Amino acid sequence: MSTIRRAYRQLHDAYGPQGWWPAATRDGVADAWEIAVGAVLVQHTSWKNVLRAIASLEQADATSVAAIGAMERDRLAALIRSAGPPRVKAERLQALTAFLVEEFNGSIDSLLEGVEDRRVAQRRRTQLLGVRGVGPETADAILLYAGGAPLFVVDAYKRRVMRRHGWDDAGAKYDEVATFWRRRLPADAAVYAEAHALLVRVGVEHCRSPRPRCEGCPLQSLLPPGGPLLEGVAEKTE
Ligand code: SF4
């Protein structure tokens, strides 16, 4: 079994299914649009702050594509300020709503139709990357978690685990890192979704910055003989 598959198995054995998406305000289940909103809002902030922002939108009865798109920018910024910087996030949300209206008649379901097929997923990804404020991590999170697209989300947690274990080039370009993981895991969107969630969890609980907490970490047995590699490439996000 490859090291990456072992890592996945050990994380899964230790933590169990993560049941992502983490920013679901209604009965623990997020719909596709809520996932997209959360994927934009979580850029450079925590899920806790995202949940507060989405709760504010719900209280204002302003969660739909149409409502967010039509809202005055300052008002939207005020509602989502917990996930700041609010004006930047408001602008990005409205860029996404404008894109959906222009290209998909305002329907996220139309955007996601057929994305289980990798070629369709890649086309939609390219379109999403043309939206202001949507980078590869955000686009892949939307397509994977809202649409079941076979895409792999790369983030700083993943790069940090890779770097400390000496797995491939943790500082490589986004798409190269995504390909590294996809090629070593079963070709299954559900596995990609679970793997991302598990790696976020190990990053939050153990593989922290600036120092890892390797004692008791599910990936401790996969460390290099001398322990984690702490020097090297700078962390990159999108
Ligand atoms: S905390 Fe240590 S063992 Fe766990 S993933 Fe990070 S480097 Fe590996």
Side-chain angles (χ1 to χ4, degrees), residues 1 6 19-21 43 66 105 124 132 141 155 157 170 195 210 214 216 221 228 236:
M1 186 184 290
R6 281 179 61 200
W20 267 38
W21 186 251
Q43 295 167 352
N105 203 23
R124 296 291 178 259
R132 188 176 173 82
D155 63 0
Y157 290 123
C214 298
S221 66
K236 289 183 185 175

PDB file of all heavy atoms in Angstrom, residues 1 6 19-21 43 66 105 124 132 141 155 157 170 195 210 214 216 221 228 236:
ATOM      1  N   MET A   1       0.844  -1.199   0.000  1.00  0.00           N
ATOM      2  CA  MET A   1       0.000   0.000   0.000  1.00  0.00           C
ATOM      3  C   MET A   1       0.881   1.251   0.000  1.00  0.00           C
ATOM      4  O   MET A   1       1.879   1.309   0.723  1.00  0.00           O
ATOM      5  CB  MET A   1      -0.898  -0.009   1.247  1.00  0.00           C
ATOM      6  CG  MET A   1      -1.911   1.114   1.268  1.00  0.00           C
ATOM      7  SD  MET A   1      -2.875   1.156   2.803  1.00  0.00           S
ATOM      8  CE  MET A   1      -3.869  -0.309   2.624  1.00  0.00           C
ATOM      9  N   ARG A   6      -1.863   4.734   3.034  1.00  0.00           N
ATOM     10  CA  ARG A   6      -1.738   4.406   4.464  1.00  0.00           C
ATOM     11  C   ARG A   6      -2.102   5.623   5.314  1.00  0.00           C
ATOM     12  O   ARG A   6      -2.769   5.505   6.339  1.00  0.00           O
ATOM     13  CB  ARG A   6      -0.302   3.951   4.781  1.00  0.00           C
ATOM     14  CG  ARG A   6      -0.045   2.507   4.379  1.00  0.00           C
ATOM     15  CD  ARG A   6       1.389   2.095   4.674  1.00  0.00           C
ATOM     16  NE  ARG A   6       1.730   2.178   6.081  1.00  0.00           N
ATOM     17  CZ  ARG A   6       2.967   2.244   6.544  1.00  0.00           C
ATOM     18  NH1 ARG A   6       3.982   2.238   5.705  1.00  0.00           N
ATOM     19  NH2 ARG A   6       3.198   2.298   7.838  1.00  0.00           N
ATOM     20  N   GLY A  19     -17.933  13.800   7.782  1.00  0.00           N
ATOM     21  CA  GLY A  19     -19.262  14.360   7.498  1.00  0.00           C
ATOM     22  C   GLY A  19     -19.245  15.791   7.009  1.00  0.00           C
ATOM     23  O   GLY A  19     -20.140  16.564   7.308  1.00  0.00           O
ATOM     24  N   TRP A  20     -18.177  16.141   6.271  1.00  0.00           N
ATOM     25  CA  TRP A  20     -18.163  17.512   5.743  1.00  0.00           C
ATOM     26  C   TRP A  20     -19.323  17.712   4.779  1.00  0.00           C
ATOM     27  O   TRP A  20     -19.721  16.798   4.099  1.00  0.00           O
ATOM     28  CB  TRP A  20     -16.831  17.741   5.029  1.00  0.00           C
ATOM     29  CG  TRP A  20     -15.816  18.345   5.942  1.00  0.00           C
ATOM     30  CD1 TRP A  20     -15.615  18.071   7.263  1.00  0.00           C
ATOM     31  CD2 TRP A  20     -14.844  19.341   5.580  1.00  0.00           C
ATOM     32  NE1 TRP A  20     -14.578  18.832   7.748  1.00  0.00           N
ATOM     33  CE2 TRP A  20     -14.088  19.617   6.739  1.00  0.00           C
ATOM     34  CE3 TRP A  20     -14.554  20.022   4.395  1.00  0.00           C
ATOM     35  CZ2 TRP A  20     -13.046  20.554   6.736  1.00  0.00           C
ATOM     36  CZ3 TRP A  20     -13.523  20.933   4.399  1.00  0.00           C
ATOM     37  CH2 TRP A  20     -12.782  21.197   5.571  1.00  0.00           C
ATOM     38  N   TRP A  21     -19.919  18.866   4.801  1.00  0.00           N
ATOM     39  CA  TRP A  21     -19.423  20.229   4.826  1.00  0.00           C
ATOM     40  C   TRP A  21     -19.510  20.865   6.220  1.00  0.00           C
ATOM     41  O   TRP A  21     -20.548  20.722   6.875  1.00  0.00           O
ATOM     42  CB  TRP A  21     -20.211  21.029   3.784  1.00  0.00           C
ATOM     43  CG  TRP A  21     -19.794  22.404   3.531  1.00  0.00           C
ATOM     44  CD1 TRP A  21     -20.454  23.530   3.890  1.00  0.00           C
ATOM     45  CD2 TRP A  21     -18.633  22.851   2.820  1.00  0.00           C
ATOM     46  NE1 TRP A  21     -19.791  24.637   3.446  1.00  0.00           N
ATOM     47  CE2 TRP A  21     -18.661  24.247   2.781  1.00  0.00           C
ATOM     48  CE3 TRP A  21     -17.553  22.201   2.222  1.00  0.00           C
ATOM     49  CZ2 TRP A  21     -17.678  25.005   2.165  1.00  0.00           C
ATOM     50  CZ3 TRP A  21     -16.570  22.950   1.615  1.00  0.00           C
ATOM     51  CH2 TRP A  21     -16.644  24.342   1.586  1.00  0.00           C
ATOM     52  N   GLN A  43     -12.297  31.838   3.077  1.00  0.00           N
ATOM     53  CA  GLN A  43     -10.951  32.256   2.660  1.00  0.00           C
ATOM     54  C   GLN A  43     -10.313  33.081   3.782  1.00  0.00           C
ATOM     55  O   GLN A  43     -10.838  34.123   4.175  1.00  0.00           O
ATOM     56  CB  GLN A  43     -11.025  33.089   1.381  1.00  0.00           C
ATOM     57  CG  GLN A  43     -11.533  32.313   0.182  1.00  0.00           C
ATOM     58  CD  GLN A  43     -11.893  33.238  -0.990  1.00  0.00           C
ATOM     59  OE1 GLN A  43     -11.897  34.458  -0.865  1.00  0.00           O
ATOM     60  NE2 GLN A  43     -12.204  32.645  -2.124  1.00  0.00           N
ATOM     61  N   ALA A  66     -30.337  35.204  -5.615  1.00  0.00           N
ATOM     62  CA  ALA A  66     -30.986  36.472  -5.985  1.00  0.00           C
ATOM     63  C   ALA A  66     -30.843  37.502  -4.875  1.00  0.00           C
ATOM     64  O   ALA A  66     -30.535  38.675  -5.141  1.00  0.00           O
ATOM     65  CB  ALA A  66     -32.461  36.214  -6.294  1.00  0.00           C
ATOM     66  N   ASN A 105     -28.261  31.083 -15.495  1.00  0.00           N
ATOM     67  CA  ASN A 105     -29.626  31.496 -15.157  1.00  0.00           C
ATOM     68  C   ASN A 105     -29.850  31.572 -13.646  1.00  0.00           C
ATOM     69  O   ASN A 105     -30.951  31.287 -13.155  1.00  0.00           O
ATOM     70  CB  ASN A 105     -30.625  30.521 -15.805  1.00  0.00           C
ATOM     71  CG  ASN A 105     -31.979  31.158 -15.992  1.00  0.00           C
ATOM     72  OD1 ASN A 105     -32.086  32.390 -16.049  1.00  0.00           O
ATOM     73  ND2 ASN A 105     -33.022  30.344 -16.047  1.00  0.00           N
ATOM     74  N   ARG A 124     -16.136  23.428 -15.883  1.00  0.00           N
ATOM     75  CA  ARG A 124     -16.761  24.299 -14.877  1.00  0.00           C
ATOM     76  C   ARG A 124     -15.698  24.960 -14.001  1.00  0.00           C
ATOM     77  O   ARG A 124     -15.845  26.114 -13.595  1.00  0.00           O
ATOM     78  CB  ARG A 124     -17.720  23.485 -14.000  1.00  0.00           C
ATOM     79  CG  ARG A 124     -18.889  22.910 -14.762  1.00  0.00           C
ATOM     80  CD  ARG A 124     -19.833  24.016 -15.217  1.00  0.00           C
ATOM     81  NE  ARG A 124     -20.913  23.451 -15.991  1.00  0.00           N
ATOM     82  CZ  ARG A 124     -20.982  23.460 -17.323  1.00  0.00           C
ATOM     83  NH1 ARG A 124     -20.014  24.047 -18.023  1.00  0.00           N
ATOM     84  NH2 ARG A 124     -22.004  22.924 -17.959  1.00  0.00           N
ATOM     85  N   ARG A 132     -14.006  36.747 -10.205  1.00  0.00           N
ATOM     86  CA  ARG A 132     -13.127  37.504  -9.312  1.00  0.00           C
ATOM     87  C   ARG A 132     -13.189  36.945  -7.889  1.00  0.00           C
ATOM     88  O   ARG A 132     -14.265  36.771  -7.322  1.00  0.00           O
ATOM     89  CB  ARG A 132     -13.579  38.971  -9.300  1.00  0.00           C
ATOM     90  CG  ARG A 132     -12.670  39.911  -8.584  1.00  0.00           C
ATOM     91  CD  ARG A 132     -13.217  41.322  -8.757  1.00  0.00           C
ATOM     92  NE  ARG A 132     -12.494  42.284  -7.966  1.00  0.00           N
ATOM     93  CZ  ARG A 132     -11.347  42.839  -8.312  1.00  0.00           C
ATOM     94  NH1 ARG A 132     -10.811  42.526  -9.467  1.00  0.00           N
ATOM     95  NH2 ARG A 132     -10.750  43.701  -7.528  1.00  0.00           N
ATOM     96  N   ALA A 141     -13.299  23.270  -3.944  1.00  0.00           N
ATOM     97  CA  ALA A 141     -14.166  22.975  -2.796  1.00  0.00           C
ATOM     98  C   ALA A 141     -15.634  23.015  -3.217  1.00  0.00           C
ATOM     99  O   ALA A 141     -16.427  22.150  -2.841  1.00  0.00           O
ATOM    100  CB  ALA A 141     -13.903  23.966  -1.668  1.00  0.00           C
ATOM    101  N   ASP A 155      -4.651  22.785   0.207  1.00  0.00           N
ATOM    102  CA  ASP A 155      -4.600  23.933   1.114  1.00  0.00           C
ATOM    103  C   ASP A 155      -3.288  23.917   1.899  1.00  0.00           C
ATOM    104  O   ASP A 155      -2.453  23.029   1.724  1.00  0.00           O
ATOM    105  CB  ASP A 155      -5.814  23.944   2.049  1.00  0.00           C
ATOM    106  CG  ASP A 155      -5.851  22.721   2.949  1.00  0.00           C
ATOM    107  OD1 ASP A 155      -4.952  21.866   2.849  1.00  0.00           O
ATOM    108  OD2 ASP A 155      -6.783  22.611   3.754  1.00  0.00           O
ATOM    109  N   TYR A 157      -2.759  23.277   4.999  1.00  0.00           N
ATOM    110  CA  TYR A 157      -2.611  22.108   5.881  1.00  0.00           C
ATOM    111  C   TYR A 157      -1.945  20.950   5.138  1.00  0.00           C
ATOM    112  O   TYR A 157      -1.068  20.271   5.655  1.00  0.00           O
ATOM    113  CB  TYR A 157      -3.976  21.644   6.392  1.00  0.00           C
ATOM    114  CG  TYR A 157      -4.636  22.582   7.368  1.00  0.00           C
ATOM    115  CD1 TYR A 157      -5.904  23.087   7.114  1.00  0.00           C
ATOM    116  CD2 TYR A 157      -4.016  22.936   8.564  1.00  0.00           C
ATOM    117  CE1 TYR A 157      -6.532  23.932   8.016  1.00  0.00           C
ATOM    118  CE2 TYR A 157      -4.631  23.784   9.468  1.00  0.00           C
ATOM    119  CZ  TYR A 157      -5.892  24.280   9.185  1.00  0.00           C
ATOM    120  OH  TYR A 157      -6.510  25.117  10.082  1.00  0.00           O
ATOM    121  N   ALA A 170       6.252  19.877  -1.582  1.00  0.00           N
ATOM    122  CA  ALA A 170       5.125  20.565  -0.956  1.00  0.00           C
ATOM    123  C   ALA A 170       4.950  21.986  -1.465  1.00  0.00           C
ATOM    124  O   ALA A 170       3.891  22.580  -1.303  1.00  0.00           O
ATOM    125  CB  ALA A 170       5.311  20.581   0.563  1.00  0.00           C
ATOM    126  N   ALA A 195     -10.670  12.752   2.410  1.00  0.00           N
ATOM    127  CA  ALA A 195      -9.239  12.970   2.643  1.00  0.00           C
ATOM    128  C   ALA A 195      -8.957  14.427   2.984  1.00  0.00           C
ATOM    129  O   ALA A 195      -8.182  14.732   3.904  1.00  0.00           O
ATOM    130  CB  ALA A 195      -8.433  12.554   1.410  1.00  0.00           C
ATOM    131  N   PRO A 210       3.701  27.188  14.466  1.00  0.00           N
ATOM    132  CA  PRO A 210       4.924  26.810  13.757  1.00  0.00           C
ATOM    133  C   PRO A 210       5.458  25.433  14.138  1.00  0.00           C
ATOM    134  O   PRO A 210       6.336  24.925  13.454  1.00  0.00           O
ATOM    135  CB  PRO A 210       5.911  27.900  14.209  1.00  0.00           C
ATOM    136  CG  PRO A 210       5.477  28.255  15.587  1.00  0.00           C
ATOM    137  CD  PRO A 210       3.978  28.111  15.606  1.00  0.00           C
ATOM    138  N   CYS A 214       3.472  16.022  17.226  1.00  0.00           N
ATOM    139  CA  CYS A 214       3.506  14.679  16.629  1.00  0.00           C
ATOM    140  C   CYS A 214       3.081  13.584  17.613  1.00  0.00           C
ATOM    141  O   CYS A 214       2.594  12.540  17.186  1.00  0.00           O
ATOM    142  CB  CYS A 214       4.900  14.386  16.080  1.00  0.00           C
ATOM    143  SG  CYS A 214       5.384  15.523  14.762  1.00  0.00           S
ATOM    144  N   GLY A 216       1.083  11.296  19.525  1.00  0.00           N
ATOM    145  CA  GLY A 216      -0.331  10.934  19.458  1.00  0.00           C
ATOM    146  C   GLY A 216      -0.996  11.234  18.132  1.00  0.00           C
ATOM    147  O   GLY A 216      -2.181  10.960  17.953  1.00  0.00           O
ATOM    148  N   SER A 221       3.465   7.413  12.795  1.00  0.00           N
ATOM    149  CA  SER A 221       4.231   6.240  12.327  1.00  0.00           C
ATOM    150  C   SER A 221       4.775   6.441  10.915  1.00  0.00           C
ATOM    151  O   SER A 221       5.610   5.662  10.454  1.00  0.00           O
ATOM    152  CB  SER A 221       3.348   4.991  12.365  1.00  0.00           C
ATOM    153  OG  SER A 221       2.297   5.115  11.422  1.00  0.00           O
ATOM    154  N   PRO A 228       9.845  15.018  12.051  1.00  0.00           N
ATOM    155  CA  PRO A 228       9.313  15.921  11.014  1.00  0.00           C
ATOM    156  C   PRO A 228      10.373  16.842  10.442  1.00  0.00           C
ATOM    157  O   PRO A 228      11.260  17.293  11.162  1.00  0.00           O
ATOM    158  CB  PRO A 228       8.239  16.722  11.766  1.00  0.00           C
ATOM    159  CG  PRO A 228       8.590  16.600  13.206  1.00  0.00           C
ATOM    160  CD  PRO A 228       9.264  15.271  13.379  1.00  0.00           C
ATOM    161  N   LYS A 236       2.276  27.838   0.902  1.00  0.00           N
ATOM    162  CA  LYS A 236       1.508  28.570  -0.103  1.00  0.00           C
ATOM    163  C   LYS A 236       0.055  28.232   0.081  1.00  0.00           C
ATOM    164  O   LYS A 236      -0.289  27.165   0.532  1.00  0.00           O
ATOM    165  CB  LYS A 236       1.914  28.127  -1.516  1.00  0.00           C
ATOM    166  CG  LYS A 236       3.284  28.587  -1.935  1.00  0.00           C
ATOM    167  CD  LYS A 236       3.490  28.131  -3.365  1.00  0.00           C
ATOM    168  CE  LYS A 236       4.898  28.437  -3.838  1.00  0.00           C
ATOM    169  NZ  LYS A 236       5.138  27.889  -5.164  1.00  0.00           N
TER     170      LYS A 236
END
